[in-house]
Each structure stands twice: as structure tokens, then as C-alpha cells.
Amino acid sequence: SEKAGLRQGDRIVMVNERSVAGVKMPQDSMVRLMKGPKGTKVKITVSRDGVLIPFDITRDKIPVHSIDAAFMIDETTGYVKLSKFTRTTFKEFKEATRKLLDAGMQHLLFDLRNNSGGYFDQSLLLANEFLESGDQIVYMEGMHRPRQEYDADGRGNLKEVRLSVLIDEGSASSSEIFSGAIQDNDRGLIYG
């Protein structure tokens, strides 16, 4: 959509000649109207400053990266900003921290501010990177669900790296699982 010329603030009012504005359509229904096979087109009409503008958009795969930044702050401190927990988060995190370790990282500043979560398994994999074998990451238990525990296996590559985690009121779900595991196991400092 950005390639086609849509801008932030544009309001979608029509999808393929079907009105979606003012009809109390759930967002997921509207998204379904716009999705389709890669290479096919969808016509979107937006309202921009009161003017209706049509766009023909060619559908494509959209890569969603979860790491917004990864760099060295100084000779020994690395910084990683994780915006969400996607299907590829662990892979991206491993690649980023490998480069930081090669650059001399001994302390990681891991930024989870405004990270609303995502894939549960990715938070387990990330926590496992820092924890010792048998350290509890999280457990789930419910009225109709028996207790299920998730513990670290001790095979993580960052167990010797000092860890500081930044969180805020926007850190939720998988961010809370990761931060809670780090705090409960006294593995790092949580700020926020």
C-alpha cells in the first residue's frame, strides 16, 4: 500500500467497490476483503482530507521483522529493541546477539517497551537463552486445564551476559512472560 501511494492517516472507505465505512464492519472482515493471493490486485478507495482517492494495490508477501534495532552502545554494552514477538523473533534475536557478541558484548540492554507480545513459544525460546537448566520460565493452569510447566533447558548462549530489560505499560503478554522469568529467576534487572 505504501508503494501504491497510501499514507498514514488515510481512511479506507471502499474495498473493490464495496463500502466499508460507516457499516459497522469488524476489522477482521475488512482485512479479509483486502487479502488475497500474491500478485493479484485489490482496489482500495481512501478518504484523505475529505477527498476520495482510488488506489490499485498489487498484493504481496509482507515481511514482518520483530527487531527494530540492534547495535553496540559502547565497547561492552549491546542494545536490542524488540517490537513484537513474531514467528521469526528467535531466529532474528539469535542473529542479532551473535553479531553483538562478536563485537564484544558483555551486557545486553533488551528493550521491550511498547511490545504488546505475540507468539508464546518465542518468549520461551528467548528466556531460555539466559536461564540455567531447570529454571522455570512460566506455567499455565486453569479450571479445565492441568498445570503445565515450561522450564529452561540450560542450552542458551547468553547465560554469561549481564541483562537489563526495559519495560513500560505497553509491555504485555509475551513481554511479561520473558520479563517475569528473568525477574523470578533473579537473572537480570527490570526497569520500567
Side-chain angles (χ1 to χ4, degrees):
S1 62
E2 184 179 12
K3 287 179 188 176
L6 268 73
R7 297 185 198 156
Q8 186 173 351
D10 287 350
R11 293 180 43 109
I12 298 172
V13 294
M14 292 179 73
V15 177
N16 288 331
E17 308 302 327
R18 181 173 174 188
S19 180
V20 294
V23 295
K24 299 208 186 292
M25 178 180 286
Q27 184 175 351
D28 60 335
S29 297
M30 187 168 64
V31 169
R32 271 197 299 279
L33 288 175
M34 291 186 279
K35 283 186 173 183
K38 178 180 176 178
T40 61
K41 292 191 180 282
V42 61
K43 183 177 180 181
I44 305 288
T45 304
V46 301
S47 173
R48 182 183 296 160
D49 299 323
V51 177
L52 295 180
I53 306 168
F55 290 93
D56 286 320
I57 300 173
T58 302
R59 295 176 175 114
D60 201 353
K61 289 261 186 214
I62 302 170
V64 179
H65 299 290
S66 58
I67 294 186
D68 291 344
F71 56 87
M72 293 296 290
I73 293 174
D74 59 30
E75 295 81 28
T76 60
T77 306
Y79 173 85
V80 173
K81 168 67 174 153
L82 187 70
S83 60
K84 57 189 138 310
F85 286 82
T86 67
R87 190 176 316 135
T88 61
T89 293
F90 182 64
K91 181 177 178 264
E92 290 178 50
F93 183 79
K94 289 282 284 184
E95 290 172 13
T97 55
R98 182 180 38 79
K99 290 176 185 174
L100 295 174
L101 286 168
D102 289 346
M105 178 178 70
Q106 297 172 20
H107 176 213
L108 174 62
L109 185 58
F110 192 32
D111 193 345
L112 294 175
R113 291 176 296 181
N114 290 311
N115 181 321
S116 60
Y119 284 70
F120 170 73
D121 67 313
Q122 300 297 299
S123 66
L124 299 178
L125 291 168
L126 259 56
N128 192 63
E129 282 295 287
F130 297 94
L131 299 174
E132 297 293 337
S133 178
D135 286 350
Q136 186 174 76
I137 299 172
V138 69
Y139 71 89
M140 290 193 287
E141 185 175 20
M143 185 180 295
H144 302 290
R145 179 187 187 124
R147 182 177 172 123
Q148 186 173 8
E149 297 188 13
Y150 298 89
D151 296 340
D153 63 16
R155 291 187 285 176
N157 293 322
L158 300 171
K159 294 184 295 187
E160 302 303 318
V161 173
R162 264 185 37 236
L163 179 62
S164 299
V165 182
L166 302 176
I167 60 171
D168 64 8
E169 66 278 355
S171 306
S173 183
S174 294
S175 295
E176 293 172 300
I177 290 168
F178 177 86
S179 301
I182 297 305
Q183 182 172 343
D184 289 351
N185 289 289
D186 200 23
R187 174 54 184 85
L189 296 174
I190 311 296
Y191 297 93

